[in-house]
Amino acid sequence: MSLLVVGLSHRSAPVSVLERAALSADAQVKLLQDTVAADPATEAAVLATCNRIELYADVDKFHAGVAELSTLLAQHSGVGLEELTPYLYVHYEDRAVHHLFSVACGLDSMVVGEGQILGQIKDALARAQDLHTAGRLLNDLFQQALRVGKRAHSETGIDRAGQSLVTFGLEQLAADTDVPGWARGRTALVIGAGSMSSLAAATLARAGVGEIVVANRTFERAERLAQILADAEGTTARAVRMDAVAAELTRADVVVSCTGATGLVLTADAVAEAVAGRTGEPAADVSAEPPAGTTHLPPASAGTDENCPLDLASVQGTPGFSVHGEAAVAGMDAATLEQHAAWVGEGTSLREQGREHDAGGRFAPEADAELIAALAGAVAAAGRVPEYRRPEPVAEIPRPAPAVFLLDLAMPRDIDAAVHRLAGVRLVDIESLAEASADAPMASDVDQVRRIVSEEVAAFGAAQRAAHITPTVVALRTMAADVVAAEIARLDGRLPGLDDRLRGEIRQTVHRVVDKLLHAPTVRVKQLAAEPGGTGYADALRTLFDLDPETVAAVSRAVDNTDEKDRPA
């Protein structure tokens, strides 16, 4: 059996796809159950966070496993397989181990080094254990991932490379101001009482907000969080029911929302009403026509441009349309796409924009064909072309200072993205956090964490390979003990008058001889099996000593059962 992971994250998929693919708690349970019921998989675990959905499984066939896991992810996420496939990544065996360990250390997080992922990995393991979908491999893998993550945080300064999503989000809200100075004395509304909302509330309390109001669908949980904040942080805190959110929104300076709702919690209209209630002025839509005196910037391309392969007459007057934009290339075939790319590049074809050359200095046609095929596939699958085109100038419209600050940490989103267009509001959501963190500096400790991950991956692989041969070694020693017992019994039959002292000496002597003969080979075979490519030594041992495969399998099941009993709950 082999480890396989199929998933998507903020690195492979746009936020809009991650939003739609988000798995509820019930969907995760059903996905795990269906995965272990499928033919290629015997174990399964799901790691689902606000910016990743990953399905881990122990499979006996790679291609069949990839196909089955991809199909199951599509079924339970509600995103069609054809649409989901371009955003999926696959890791197998050691690469899958390396991926999870990197995730556990925060190297693959939106904010590098954040530690919340460790709690999410722990939750994923607990869920798989509760549902009995995690066997020896996934139990060992996830528990080791937790240890690796803790080691990275204790031995390096990876925490300095980034912060939690909550801290980073609050810094984005505060812009050029330090968070405590920005938050001091403000009123905060926290919607949701889960782990992320609780962390946000505690962070705001430590930053010095004057009052925190907690709203949650289950009022008792909101009350409990408010009491914890009052007792532990000394902050004025109170709980309200969800139907009071509209009224509290008018009073709040800062709003943090992270719920498990499948629909919007705050609409653009609700936020606009709250802003109007605070300022006495309607919250204008800053995406509307600029005010008088504002310079209008022309689109990136006018409809009269020559040699454009598009039918410009059909798009004249289309609001916001640019012949450089994504809408322009949606649905193009490869040939037209190449023509359009050359036109956008002012006569420079795609291969002339940086593709590989052949040995004679000419452009390699196969490289060009590969790129065109990839671009055409992206257009067909995602309705967009990768961001190679020139940026379009945008008219700068002055915005008033924010009256309300909103932080949306939910996936799918709690707050309508249209709020970004409202004057007097600053909204930071998962999508804007992803854009901001892309330019965040990497700390030097990241390299040290990568070395730790590489060491731990090698150690885990060696331990797993060594464990693979253990049942065979146990079966060999069991067979040797049976041979000794049979020979001692035969000796008793031939020498019935032998006294107990001599019989004991003979038995010990035979056991010592057998143990000494087996010691060096079994120790060495475990060492060899731990090395890469060493899995064949178990087969060699079974062949050389004619071991019964059923006996080995029985020992393996017994070892697994013992491990299961010894594991912490």
mmCIF file of all heavy atoms in Angstrom, residues 362-405:
data_model
loop_
_atom_site.group_PDB
_atom_site.id
_atom_site.type_symbol
_atom_site.label_atom_id
_atom_site.label_comp_id
_atom_site.label_asym_id
_atom_site.label_seq_id
_atom_site.Cartn_x
_atom_site.Cartn_y
_atom_site.Cartn_z
ATOM 1 N N ARG A 362 17.195 28.406 -32.672
ATOM 2 C CA ARG A 362 15.836 28.638 -33.174
ATOM 3 C C ARG A 362 14.841 28.317 -32.064
ATOM 4 O O ARG A 362 15.145 27.594 -31.117
ATOM 5 C CB ARG A 362 15.566 27.754 -34.402
ATOM 6 C CG ARG A 362 16.484 28.039 -35.580
ATOM 7 C CD ARG A 362 16.176 27.092 -36.731
ATOM 8 N NE ARG A 362 16.350 25.704 -36.342
ATOM 9 C CZ ARG A 362 17.527 25.070 -36.409
ATOM 10 N NH1 ARG A 362 18.606 25.709 -36.808
ATOM 11 N NH2 ARG A 362 17.629 23.801 -36.058
ATOM 12 N N PHE A 363 13.630 28.836 -32.210
ATOM 13 C CA PHE A 363 12.591 28.532 -31.223
ATOM 14 C C PHE A 363 12.123 27.090 -31.405
ATOM 15 O O PHE A 363 11.873 26.642 -32.518
ATOM 16 C CB PHE A 363 11.407 29.491 -31.386
ATOM 17 C CG PHE A 363 11.781 30.913 -31.065
ATOM 18 C CD1 PHE A 363 11.963 31.840 -32.078
ATOM 19 C CD2 PHE A 363 11.979 31.302 -29.758
ATOM 20 C CE1 PHE A 363 12.313 33.142 -31.787
ATOM 21 C CE2 PHE A 363 12.332 32.613 -29.461
ATOM 22 C CZ PHE A 363 12.504 33.541 -30.472
ATOM 23 N N ALA A 364 12.044 26.370 -30.259
ATOM 24 C CA ALA A 364 11.666 24.958 -30.314
ATOM 25 C C ALA A 364 10.163 24.852 -30.552
ATOM 26 O O ALA A 364 9.373 25.304 -29.729
ATOM 27 C CB ALA A 364 12.043 24.262 -29.008
ATOM 28 N N PRO A 365 9.727 24.262 -31.669
ATOM 29 C CA PRO A 365 8.288 24.200 -31.960
ATOM 30 C C PRO A 365 7.522 23.389 -30.927
ATOM 31 O O PRO A 365 6.375 23.688 -30.632
ATOM 32 C CB PRO A 365 8.242 23.550 -33.349
ATOM 33 C CG PRO A 365 9.558 22.848 -33.504
ATOM 34 C CD PRO A 365 10.552 23.662 -32.735
ATOM 35 N N GLU A 366 8.169 22.343 -30.367
ATOM 36 C CA GLU A 366 7.437 21.536 -29.390
ATOM 37 C C GLU A 366 7.167 22.322 -28.108
ATOM 38 O O GLU A 366 6.140 22.154 -27.458
ATOM 39 C CB GLU A 366 8.200 20.243 -29.053
ATOM 40 C CG GLU A 366 9.571 20.433 -28.396
ATOM 41 C CD GLU A 366 10.678 20.664 -29.413
ATOM 42 O OE1 GLU A 366 10.355 20.822 -30.614
ATOM 43 O OE2 GLU A 366 11.841 20.683 -29.012
ATOM 44 N N ALA A 367 8.102 23.232 -27.754
ATOM 45 C CA ALA A 367 7.878 24.070 -26.575
ATOM 46 C C ALA A 367 6.722 25.029 -26.827
ATOM 47 O O ALA A 367 5.881 25.272 -25.969
ATOM 48 C CB ALA A 367 9.148 24.834 -26.221
ATOM 49 N N ASP A 368 6.692 25.600 -28.034
ATOM 50 C CA ASP A 368 5.607 26.505 -28.403
ATOM 51 C C ASP A 368 4.270 25.768 -28.393
ATOM 52 O O ASP A 368 3.275 26.260 -27.853
ATOM 53 C CB ASP A 368 5.886 27.097 -29.781
ATOM 54 C CG ASP A 368 4.825 28.123 -30.167
ATOM 55 O OD1 ASP A 368 4.596 29.044 -29.371
ATOM 56 O OD2 ASP A 368 4.239 27.978 -31.246
ATOM 57 N N ALA A 369 4.252 24.583 -28.966
ATOM 58 C CA ALA A 369 3.012 23.819 -29.015
ATOM 59 C C ALA A 369 2.529 23.471 -27.615
ATOM 60 O O ALA A 369 1.332 23.492 -27.322
ATOM 61 C CB ALA A 369 3.234 22.540 -29.834
ATOM 62 N N GLU A 370 3.495 23.184 -26.745
ATOM 63 C CA GLU A 370 3.134 22.840 -25.360
ATOM 64 C C GLU A 370 2.472 24.019 -24.665
ATOM 65 O O GLU A 370 1.460 23.874 -23.975
ATOM 66 C CB GLU A 370 4.404 22.434 -24.597
ATOM 67 C CG GLU A 370 4.160 22.115 -23.122
ATOM 68 C CD GLU A 370 5.472 21.879 -22.384
ATOM 69 O OE1 GLU A 370 6.511 21.715 -23.055
ATOM 70 O OE2 GLU A 370 5.437 21.859 -21.149
ATOM 71 N N LEU A 371 3.031 25.205 -24.854
ATOM 72 C CA LEU A 371 2.463 26.392 -24.234
ATOM 73 C C LEU A 371 1.080 26.708 -24.784
ATOM 74 O O LEU A 371 0.145 26.994 -24.040
ATOM 75 C CB LEU A 371 3.393 27.584 -24.439
ATOM 76 C CG LEU A 371 2.870 28.921 -23.885
ATOM 77 C CD1 LEU A 371 2.616 28.811 -22.392
ATOM 78 C CD2 LEU A 371 3.852 30.038 -24.177
ATOM 79 N N ILE A 372 0.953 26.657 -26.100
ATOM 80 C CA ILE A 372 -0.347 26.961 -26.709
ATOM 81 C C ILE A 372 -1.401 25.968 -26.224
ATOM 82 O O ILE A 372 -2.531 26.336 -25.886
ATOM 83 C CB ILE A 372 -0.245 26.925 -28.244
ATOM 84 C CG1 ILE A 372 0.707 28.037 -28.723
ATOM 85 C CG2 ILE A 372 -1.606 27.117 -28.870
ATOM 86 C CD1 ILE A 372 0.293 29.414 -28.301
ATOM 87 N N ALA A 373 -1.017 24.696 -26.162
ATOM 88 C CA ALA A 373 -1.969 23.687 -25.688
ATOM 89 C C ALA A 373 -2.360 23.956 -24.243
ATOM 90 O O ALA A 373 -3.531 23.837 -23.856
ATOM 91 C CB ALA A 373 -1.360 22.290 -25.827
ATOM 92 N N ALA A 374 -1.381 24.344 -23.430
ATOM 93 C CA ALA A 374 -1.668 24.620 -22.020
ATOM 94 C C ALA A 374 -2.586 25.826 -21.874
ATOM 95 O O ALA A 374 -3.533 25.824 -21.087
ATOM 96 C CB ALA A 374 -0.355 24.850 -21.267
ATOM 97 N N LEU A 375 -2.310 26.881 -22.660
ATOM 98 C CA LEU A 375 -3.155 28.071 -22.588
ATOM 99 C C LEU A 375 -4.569 27.783 -23.077
ATOM 100 O O LEU A 375 -5.555 28.203 -22.479
ATOM 101 C CB LEU A 375 -2.531 29.195 -23.409
ATOM 102 C CG LEU A 375 -1.272 29.848 -22.822
ATOM 103 C CD1 LEU A 375 -0.687 30.831 -23.800
ATOM 104 C CD2 LEU A 375 -1.580 30.524 -21.514
ATOM 105 N N ALA A 376 -4.661 27.044 -24.171
ATOM 106 C CA ALA A 376 -5.983 26.696 -24.689
ATOM 107 C C ALA A 376 -6.744 25.845 -23.686
ATOM 108 O O ALA A 376 -7.950 26.021 -23.479
ATOM 109 C CB ALA A 376 -5.837 25.952 -26.018
ATOM 110 N N GLY A 377 -6.032 24.919 -23.033
ATOM 111 C CA GLY A 377 -6.678 24.089 -22.017
ATOM 112 C C GLY A 377 -7.153 24.920 -20.838
ATOM 113 O O GLY A 377 -8.229 24.692 -20.292
ATOM 114 N N ALA A 378 -6.332 25.906 -20.451
ATOM 115 C CA ALA A 378 -6.731 26.779 -19.339
ATOM 116 C C ALA A 378 -7.960 27.583 -19.685
ATOM 117 O O ALA A 378 -8.862 27.766 -18.874
ATOM 118 C CB ALA A 378 -5.565 27.702 -18.970
ATOM 119 N N VAL A 379 -8.007 28.083 -20.909
ATOM 120 C CA VAL A 379 -9.179 28.859 -21.339
ATOM 121 C C VAL A 379 -10.422 27.987 -21.333
ATOM 122 O O VAL A 379 -11.488 28.378 -20.850
ATOM 123 C CB VAL A 379 -8.935 29.460 -22.742
ATOM 124 C CG1 VAL A 379 -10.217 30.076 -23.279
ATOM 125 C CG2 VAL A 379 -7.838 30.517 -22.668
ATOM 126 N N ALA A 380 -10.286 26.772 -21.876
ATOM 127 C CA ALA A 380 -11.452 25.885 -21.953
ATOM 128 C C ALA A 380 -11.929 25.487 -20.573
ATOM 129 O O ALA A 380 -13.126 25.391 -20.320
ATOM 130 C CB ALA A 380 -11.091 24.638 -22.777
ATOM 131 N N ALA A 381 -10.977 25.244 -19.638
ATOM 132 C CA ALA A 381 -11.353 24.735 -18.318
ATOM 133 C C ALA A 381 -11.782 25.846 -17.376
ATOM 134 O O ALA A 381 -12.727 25.696 -16.619
ATOM 135 C CB ALA A 381 -10.182 23.965 -17.713
ATOM 136 N N ALA A 382 -11.070 26.973 -17.403
ATOM 137 C CA ALA A 382 -11.298 27.998 -16.395
ATOM 138 C C ALA A 382 -11.891 29.284 -16.953
ATOM 139 O O ALA A 382 -12.217 30.184 -16.192
ATOM 140 C CB ALA A 382 -9.985 28.313 -15.687
ATOM 141 N N GLY A 383 -12.014 29.397 -18.289
ATOM 142 C CA GLY A 383 -12.569 30.598 -18.865
ATOM 143 C C GLY A 383 -11.648 31.801 -18.755
ATOM 144 O O GLY A 383 -12.090 32.939 -18.798
ATOM 145 N N ARG A 384 -10.353 31.556 -18.567
ATOM 146 C CA ARG A 384 -9.443 32.679 -18.449
ATOM 147 C C ARG A 384 -8.070 32.266 -18.953
ATOM 148 O O ARG A 384 -7.764 31.086 -19.069
ATOM 149 C CB ARG A 384 -9.324 33.150 -16.997
ATOM 150 C CG ARG A 384 -8.684 32.131 -16.074
ATOM 151 C CD ARG A 384 -8.758 32.583 -14.626
ATOM 152 N NE ARG A 384 -7.994 33.799 -14.429
ATOM 153 C CZ ARG A 384 -6.692 33.806 -14.163
ATOM 154 N NH1 ARG A 384 -6.025 32.670 -14.068
ATOM 155 N NH2 ARG A 384 -6.046 34.940 -13.984
ATOM 156 N N VAL A 385 -7.240 33.262 -19.220
ATOM 157 C CA VAL A 385 -5.886 33.007 -19.673
ATOM 158 C C VAL A 385 -4.935 33.446 -18.570
ATOM 159 O O VAL A 385 -5.237 34.376 -17.827
ATOM 160 C CB VAL A 385 -5.597 33.771 -20.991
ATOM 161 C CG1 VAL A 385 -5.501 35.255 -20.756
ATOM 162 C CG2 VAL A 385 -4.323 33.266 -21.649
ATOM 163 N N PRO A 386 -3.815 32.761 -18.362
ATOM 164 C CA PRO A 386 -2.870 33.186 -17.325
ATOM 165 C C PRO A 386 -2.429 34.641 -17.506
ATOM 166 O O PRO A 386 -2.474 35.194 -18.606
ATOM 167 C CB PRO A 386 -1.694 32.223 -17.522
ATOM 168 C CG PRO A 386 -2.317 31.009 -18.116
ATOM 169 C CD PRO A 386 -3.418 31.508 -19.007
ATOM 170 N N GLU A 387 -1.959 35.229 -16.412
ATOM 171 C CA GLU A 387 -1.741 36.677 -16.380
ATOM 172 C C GLU A 387 -0.449 37.088 -17.093
ATOM 173 O O GLU A 387 0.462 37.643 -16.501
ATOM 174 C CB GLU A 387 -1.680 37.148 -14.921
ATOM 175 C CG GLU A 387 -2.940 36.837 -14.134
ATOM 176 C CD GLU A 387 -4.072 37.773 -14.493
ATOM 177 O OE1 GLU A 387 -3.798 38.809 -15.122
ATOM 178 O OE2 GLU A 387 -5.220 37.479 -14.159
ATOM 179 N N TYR A 388 -0.344 36.799 -18.384
ATOM 180 C CA TYR A 388 0.841 37.237 -19.118
ATOM 181 C C TYR A 388 0.626 38.606 -19.763
ATOM 182 O O TYR A 388 1.550 39.242 -20.210
ATOM 183 C CB TYR A 388 1.193 36.219 -20.214
ATOM 184 C CG TYR A 388 0.192 36.223 -21.351
ATOM 185 C CD1 TYR A 388 0.329 37.072 -22.438
ATOM 186 C CD2 TYR A 388 -0.922 35.379 -21.307
ATOM 187 C CE1 TYR A 388 -0.608 37.090 -23.456
ATOM 188 C CE2 TYR A 388 -1.852 35.405 -22.316
ATOM 189 C CZ TYR A 388 -1.700 36.257 -23.395
ATOM 190 O OH TYR A 388 -2.627 36.277 -24.384
ATOM 191 N N ARG A 389 -0.637 39.058 -19.808
ATOM 192 C CA ARG A 389 -0.932 40.259 -20.584
ATOM 193 C C ARG A 389 -0.529 41.522 -19.816
ATOM 194 O O ARG A 389 -0.310 41.493 -18.614
ATOM 195 C CB ARG A 389 -2.405 40.312 -20.919
ATOM 196 C CG ARG A 389 -3.307 40.431 -19.700
ATOM 197 C CD ARG A 389 -4.760 40.300 -20.088
ATOM 198 N NE ARG A 389 -5.614 40.556 -18.964
ATOM 199 C CZ ARG A 389 -5.865 39.684 -18.010
ATOM 200 N NH1 ARG A 389 -5.312 38.502 -18.056
ATOM 201 N NH2 ARG A 389 -6.659 39.972 -17.000
ATOM 202 N N ARG A 390 -0.469 42.623 -20.533
ATOM 203 C CA ARG A 390 -0.102 43.891 -19.922
ATOM 204 C C ARG A 390 -1.220 44.366 -18.999
ATOM 205 O O ARG A 390 -2.396 44.206 -19.298
ATOM 206 C CB ARG A 390 0.136 44.937 -21.014
ATOM 207 C CG ARG A 390 1.317 44.605 -21.908
ATOM 208 C CD ARG A 390 1.452 45.626 -23.016
ATOM 209 N NE ARG A 390 0.247 45.679 -23.848
ATOM 210 C CZ ARG A 390 0.171 46.373 -24.978
ATOM 211 N NH1 ARG A 390 1.222 47.059 -25.399
ATOM 212 N NH2 ARG A 390 -0.928 46.374 -25.693
ATOM 213 N N PRO A 391 -0.866 44.949 -17.853
ATOM 214 C CA PRO A 391 -1.916 45.431 -16.945
ATOM 215 C C PRO A 391 -2.681 46.586 -17.556
ATOM 216 O O PRO A 391 -2.134 47.375 -18.330
ATOM 217 C CB PRO A 391 -1.137 45.873 -15.701
ATOM 218 C CG PRO A 391 0.237 46.178 -16.209
ATOM 219 C CD PRO A 391 0.470 45.192 -17.330
ATOM 220 N N GLU A 392 -3.954 46.673 -17.190
ATOM 221 C CA GLU A 392 -4.787 47.744 -17.704
ATOM 222 C C GLU A 392 -4.797 48.905 -16.715
ATOM 223 O O GLU A 392 -4.942 48.696 -15.510
ATOM 224 C CB GLU A 392 -6.221 47.236 -17.903
ATOM 225 C CG GLU A 392 -6.310 46.058 -18.832
ATOM 226 C CD GLU A 392 -7.707 45.467 -18.852
ATOM 227 O OE1 GLU A 392 -8.653 46.191 -18.522
ATOM 228 O OE2 GLU A 392 -7.839 44.287 -19.194
ATOM 229 N N PRO A 393 -4.635 50.126 -17.180
ATOM 230 C CA PRO A 393 -4.677 51.275 -16.261
ATOM 231 C C PRO A 393 -6.072 51.444 -15.683
ATOM 232 O O PRO A 393 -7.073 51.196 -16.347
ATOM 233 C CB PRO A 393 -4.291 52.452 -17.149
ATOM 234 C CG PRO A 393 -4.626 52.014 -18.538
ATOM 235 C CD PRO A 393 -4.405 50.527 -18.582
ATOM 236 N N VAL A 394 -6.127 51.818 -14.431
ATOM 237 C CA VAL A 394 -7.409 51.993 -13.753
ATOM 238 C C VAL A 394 -7.474 53.407 -13.200
ATOM 239 O O VAL A 394 -6.491 53.911 -12.631
ATOM 240 C CB VAL A 394 -7.552 50.972 -12.600
ATOM 241 C CG1 VAL A 394 -8.864 51.186 -11.858
ATOM 242 C CG2 VAL A 394 -7.463 49.554 -13.149
ATOM 243 N N ALA A 395 -8.610 54.043 -13.347
ATOM 244 C CA ALA A 395 -8.777 55.390 -12.823
ATOM 245 C C ALA A 395 -8.770 55.344 -11.299
ATOM 246 O O ALA A 395 -9.467 54.536 -10.695
ATOM 247 C CB ALA A 395 -10.093 55.991 -13.325
ATOM 248 N N GLU A 396 -7.977 56.178 -10.670
ATOM 249 C CA GLU A 396 -7.911 56.253 -9.224
ATOM 250 C C GLU A 396 -9.025 57.163 -8.719
ATOM 251 O O GLU A 396 -9.100 58.348 -9.076
ATOM 252 C CB GLU A 396 -6.554 56.799 -8.782
ATOM 253 C CG GLU A 396 -5.409 55.821 -8.977
ATOM 254 C CD GLU A 396 -5.536 54.621 -8.050
ATOM 255 O OE1 GLU A 396 -6.157 54.771 -6.975
ATOM 256 O OE2 GLU A 396 -5.036 53.546 -8.410
ATOM 257 N N ILE A 397 -9.908 56.627 -7.910
ATOM 258 C CA ILE A 397 -11.010 57.393 -7.352
ATOM 259 C C ILE A 397 -10.770 57.520 -5.857
ATOM 260 O O ILE A 397 -10.621 56.507 -5.160
ATOM 261 C CB ILE A 397 -12.358 56.697 -7.605
ATOM 262 C CG1 ILE A 397 -12.554 56.487 -9.110
ATOM 263 C CG2 ILE A 397 -13.498 57.499 -7.003
ATOM 264 C CD1 ILE A 397 -13.766 55.657 -9.443
ATOM 265 N N PRO A 398 -10.684 58.716 -5.323
ATOM 266 C CA PRO A 398 -10.411 58.884 -3.894
ATOM 267 C C PRO A 398 -11.516 58.267 -3.044
ATOM 268 O O PRO A 398 -12.699 58.398 -3.353
ATOM 269 C CB PRO A 398 -10.345 60.408 -3.725
ATOM 270 C CG PRO A 398 -11.098 60.969 -4.895
ATOM 271 C CD PRO A 398 -10.876 60.006 -6.024
ATOM 272 N N ARG A 399 -11.094 57.602 -1.973
ATOM 273 C CA ARG A 399 -12.050 56.981 -1.054
ATOM 274 C C ARG A 399 -11.975 57.709 0.280
ATOM 275 O O ARG A 399 -10.888 58.076 0.730
ATOM 276 C CB ARG A 399 -11.720 55.500 -0.834
ATOM 277 C CG ARG A 399 -11.802 54.648 -2.071
ATOM 278 C CD ARG A 399 -11.412 53.215 -1.739
ATOM 279 N NE ARG A 399 -12.365 52.579 -0.850
ATOM 280 C CZ ARG A 399 -13.085 51.502 -1.185
ATOM 281 N NH1 ARG A 399 -12.960 50.966 -2.379
ATOM 282 N NH2 ARG A 399 -13.918 50.979 -0.344
ATOM 283 N N PRO A 400 -13.108 57.879 0.946
ATOM 284 C CA PRO A 400 -13.076 58.493 2.276
ATOM 285 C C PRO A 400 -12.453 57.536 3.290
ATOM 286 O O PRO A 400 -12.351 56.337 3.050
ATOM 287 C CB PRO A 400 -14.563 58.726 2.580
ATOM 288 C CG PRO A 400 -15.282 57.706 1.750
ATOM 289 C CD PRO A 400 -14.464 57.551 0.503
ATOM 290 N N ALA A 401 -12.025 58.067 4.423
ATOM 291 C CA ALA A 401 -11.456 57.223 5.479
ATOM 292 C C ALA A 401 -12.503 56.218 5.941
ATOM 293 O O ALA A 401 -13.695 56.551 6.046
ATOM 294 C CB ALA A 401 -11.015 58.101 6.645
ATOM 295 N N PRO A 402 -12.108 54.970 6.214
ATOM 296 C CA PRO A 402 -13.094 53.956 6.593
ATOM 297 C C PRO A 402 -13.794 54.294 7.904
ATOM 298 O O PRO A 402 -13.161 54.752 8.859
ATOM 299 C CB PRO A 402 -12.241 52.680 6.744
ATOM 300 C CG PRO A 402 -10.969 52.956 6.017
ATOM 301 C CD PRO A 402 -10.746 54.415 6.128
ATOM 302 N N ALA A 403 -15.103 54.064 7.927
ATOM 303 C CA ALA A 403 -15.876 54.184 9.157
ATOM 304 C C ALA A 403 -16.070 52.814 9.797
ATOM 305 O O ALA A 403 -16.277 52.702 11.005
ATOM 306 C CB ALA A 403 -17.236 54.821 8.871
ATOM 307 N N VAL A 404 -16.013 51.769 8.991
ATOM 308 C CA VAL A 404 -16.183 50.394 9.465
ATOM 309 C C VAL A 404 -15.085 49.535 8.848
ATOM 310 O O VAL A 404 -14.800 49.648 7.655
ATOM 311 C CB VAL A 404 -17.574 49.828 9.085
ATOM 312 C CG1 VAL A 404 -17.716 48.394 9.587
ATOM 313 C CG2 VAL A 404 -18.688 50.693 9.634
ATOM 314 N N PHE A 405 -14.477 48.678 9.673
ATOM 315 C CA PHE A 405 -13.437 47.752 9.224
ATOM 316 C C PHE A 405 -13.981 46.331 9.337
ATOM 317 O O PHE A 405 -14.467 45.940 10.408
ATOM 318 C CB PHE A 405 -12.183 47.887 10.081
ATOM 319 C CG PHE A 405 -11.546 49.252 10.037
ATOM 320 C CD1 PHE A 405 -12.020 50.284 10.845
ATOM 321 C CD2 PHE A 405 -10.482 49.504 9.192
ATOM 322 C CE1 PHE A 405 -11.437 51.542 10.813
ATOM 323 C CE2 PHE A 405 -9.883 50.753 9.150
ATOM 324 C CZ PHE A 405 -10.364 51.780 9.961
#
